[in-house]
Amino acid sequence: MKVGVVTFPGSLDDVDARRAVAIGGNEAVALWHGDEDLRGVDAVVLPGGFSYGDYLRCGAISRFAPVMTSVIEAAGKGMPVLGICNGFQILCESHLLPGALIRNDHRKFVCRDQRLRMERVDTPWTSAYTAGDEVTIVLKNGEGGFVADEATLDLLEGEGRVVARYLDDNPNGSLRDIAGISNERGNVVGLMPHPEHAVEELTGPGTDGLGFFTSLAAAAFA
Amino acid sequence: MARYVVDVMPKPEILDPQGKAVLGALPRLGFAGVSDVRQGKRFEIELEGEPSDALLEEVRAMAGTLLSNPVIEDFEVHLQGESEGAWA
């Protein structure tokens, strides 16, 4: 499968994401924020970082980048899209996912190996996991507090759209310990932790993040 | 030239960590009796032409599209010099 990874001005983890895509058994394709052409990819990753310097609000300006016009259209037709950290913020600003991400409640940047429980595993990004799996994935964010109104939170839980939840200490004040969510269809997933930093034993806390990148290959041959 | 002001504030029910940080700092500087601080953003937007209802609507559209996120923020638009305006 060809997986595009978008580079915005200020993206940090685009190279790691491309590497993780390749380790996961897919072909990584570099996409550029200023280019509407998705170069024939089958899926898109919006990587972490500080696109446009986080000016205005995290993801607020990236949401209007030319590439996002194509990503939003493709996502509407069912293309798998994964937003990691800043990518999650962009997906919320794009209204592809509900809610928003605000500054951590404790006001400090957090960087740690975070335990998560996987919940929704019928998406193209999470099918390699089993519901209830407890995994450890790197988390690093300053504005990772997931918020939405009560009705939206109830809807997300009622429809089983919580993809992953924080275990142990809630690292950023996210409501109901939500670390990641999906759209109704499941093709669009936003996640605050960084699975692309947990794909090799040499670096990071292990390889628990690899499933996000191997799921796609499994989906392609299913 | 018309100059409009857009004030964007976090919704009352949304946690405002920056406001909380300022609230924590004020007593340390000797400012007593401060019970709450909320931090928002102010935009000053200059447009060509004279002020009009159409321009006001244009600025409201900017505020709703880009300057604020309706999930977490409210905004208010007014012509600079006027103090009143309706919260969106």
Side-chain angles (χ1 to χ4, degrees), chain A residues 56-57 60-61 64 93 95 99-105 107 147-148, chain B residues 14-15 17-18 20-21 41 43 65-73:
Chain A
L56 191 59
R57 294 177 308 280
I61 298 176
F64 294 102
E93 284 283 344
H95 310 302
L101 294 138
I102 66 168
R103 193 169 298 267
N104 298 347
D105 58 350
R107 306 194 293 259
V147 297
Chain B
I14 297 289
L15 180 71
Q18 294 183 108
K20 287 270 186 293
K41 301 187 187 92
F43 301 84
T65 307
L66 178 64
L67 306 183
S68 75
N69 178 344
V71 176
I72 50 171
E73 295 167 325

Side-chain angles (χ1 to χ4, degrees), chain A residues 109-193:
Chain A
F109 194 91
V110 60
C111 182
R112 63 157 83 147
D113 298 341
Q114 176 69 44
R115 287 182 69 236
L116 306 169
R117 181 175 61 243
M118 299 301 297
E119 298 198 359
R120 183 172 189 181
V121 295
D122 66 345
T123 81
W125 301 102
T126 57
S127 61
Y129 297 95
T130 302
D133 276 355
E134 296 186 1
V135 299
T136 300
I137 289 178
V138 181
L139 177 83
K140 46 167 197 172
N141 68 72
E143 303 194 30
F146 180 75
V147 297
D149 59 33
E150 285 295 310
T152 303
L153 293 169
D154 288 342
L155 181 79
L156 287 170
E157 304 227 44
E159 293 183 345
R161 288 164 56 185
V162 175
V163 168
R165 231 182 274 262
Y166 297 116
L167 293 173
D168 309 326
D169 290 340
N170 183 324
N172 48 28
S174 289
L175 297 178
R176 303 194 192 180
D177 299 330
I178 288 173
I181 58 170
S182 65
N183 65 350
E184 194 176 352
R185 192 170 178 171
N187 61 306
V188 179
V189 169
L191 188 73
M192 195 38 65

Side-chain angles (χ1 to χ4, degrees), chain A residues 189-210:
Chain A
V189 169
L191 188 73
M192 195 38 65
H194 289 259
E196 80 281 16
H197 294 331
V199 295
E200 291 174 295
E201 291 289 353
L202 181 63
T203 55
T207 60
D208 285 355
L210 193 54

